[in-house]
Amino acid sequence: MIIVVKLGGSVVCKDPSKAIADLAKYADVAVVVHGGGCMVNEVMKAMGLQPKFLTHPGGVVSRFTDYETLRAFVMTMMWINKNIVASLASLRVPALGLSGADNMVLRAKRKEKVIIVDERGRQRVVDGGYSGKITEIDVKALLPPPLKVLAPIAVSEKGELLNIDGDQVAFEIASRLMSKLVILSDVDGLIIGGKVVGRLTPQEALELAKSDEVKGGMKRKLIAAAEAAKSGVETIIYNGLVESPIEKALAGAGTHIIPSS
Ligand SMILES: Nc1ncnc2c1ncn2[C@@H]1O[C@H](COP(=O)(O)OP(=O)(O)OP(=O)(O)O)[C@@H](O)[C@H]1O
Ligand SMILES: [Mg+2]
């Protein structure tokens, strides 16, 4: 059985070593997607650019990717991608690092317009920049061996490189493969009232996504996990900063969003 592992930007920026060491054990059965938003922000600031974000109706926040941002995004993601591959090499695990443009593995359509909520809480339509919506994934090309490490970059029909949210990529791959999805971030799972929520149905995940206690990237994960559950995918959200995070997640740690049978 294939397992899709999303290595969150929060893990990449803080300490990916434990997650990567664990990944080595699953090299024959895993597909890896990584994030890296925090490092993109750092690089942009070093380039004298200010990261920009958009708030969508429902509260999900995403990066606004103009052309300058796209350059920083692609450069940074490839740096992260090759470093993951190099760390795996140090563990004698051969891995193939890819962007979605390579061999057209991940195709997307540029979002011409997106709906946002402005500072005054009013909905507005703005240019979508270089962000995309996935149209096609060559999942066969992502199966091991060798272990594939995919950066969240897609290619459009016009040959544009596009920024795709890493969680979205991971969810779409898992849905197409009907595989389990382990989302590694820097928290022990979904935390409500100070405690990790162990199990959720898709309906419960959607309800909690609306809660004031759920913000930012976690909101997006819950909404996508609920959607993926409809196609039979079990999503586990767990902490990639601990020892053997994948093994622990598969053994029951973290928050499990389970398809309702
Ligand atoms: N109720 C909640 N429970 C747990 N985490 C939450 C909650 N609400 C918000 N969060 C935040 O969600 C974050 C995880 O999502 P985020 O998108 O920031 O990280 P990531 O997916 O690891 O990184 P990237 O998007 O770069 O891949 C946590 O760091 C946490 O601060
Ligand atoms: Mg995120």
Side-chain angles (χ1 to χ4, degrees), residues 6 8-10 35-37 61 165-167 183 185 216-218 220-221:
K6 155 85 190 315
S10 54
V61 177
D165 174 69
D167 287 333
I183 298 221
S185 190
M218 192 52 70
R220 183 196 285 277
K221 292 185 208 311

Side-chain angles (χ1 to χ4, degrees), residues 75-256:
M75 288 190 269
T76 309
M77 285 298 176
M78 286 297 99
W79 168 257
I80 293 171
N81 188 277
K82 299 315 154 195
N83 272 286
I84 296 170
V85 168
S87 298
L88 286 162
S90 78
L91 302 170
R92 302 289 170 266
V93 176
L96 185 60
L98 297 165
S99 82
D102 294 286
N103 222 19
M104 298 198 292
V105 161
L106 188 62
R107 297 202 229 171
K109 202 175 145 42
R110 185 168 164 178
K111 291 180 190 167
E112 304 278 339
K113 299 273 179 248
V114 292
I115 301 170
I116 61 145
V117 184
D118 68 17
E119 313 78 50
R120 293 193 213 148
R122 284 193 303 222
Q123 293 203 359
R124 282 202 292 136
V125 178
V126 299
D127 182 78
Y130 289 89
S131 68
K133 190 172 163 30
I134 298 168
T135 52
E136 255 178 89
I137 306 179
D138 184 355
V139 281
K140 274 204 198 117
L142 292 173
L143 297 177
L147 174 64
K148 308 298 188 304
V149 179
L150 182 67
I153 297 165
V155 65
S156 77
E157 270 183 3
K158 292 180 192 154
E160 298 148 318
L161 294 168
L162 299 173
N163 166 6
I164 315 276
D165 174 69
D167 287 333
Q168 210 58 53
V169 176
F171 279 110
E172 295 272 352
I173 294 170
S175 296
R176 282 165 170 80
L177 290 172
M178 298 273 279
S179 66
K180 277 196 186 181
L181 172 58
V182 177
I183 298 221
L184 297 176
S185 190
D186 61 351
V187 284
D188 287 339
L190 169 68
I191 298 165
I192 300 289
K195 290 204 194 80
V196 174
V197 180
R199 278 175 82 95
L200 287 175
T201 63
Q203 293 80 354
E204 289 166 340
L206 280 181
E207 271 313 306
L208 283 173
K210 293 183 206 148
S211 147
D212 288 342
E213 284 191 68
V214 182
K215 295 188 185 72
M218 192 52 70
K219 204 181 264 288
R220 183 196 285 277
K221 292 185 208 311
L222 289 182
I223 297 168
E227 188 58 37
K230 288 187 201 153
S231 39
V233 171
E234 175 183 344
T235 301
I236 311 166
I237 303 169
Y238 189 50
N239 194 342
L241 301 173
V242 305
E243 212 68 58
S244 306
I246 302 167
E247 190 184 323
K248 285 181 183 149
L250 294 173
T255 302
H256 295 236

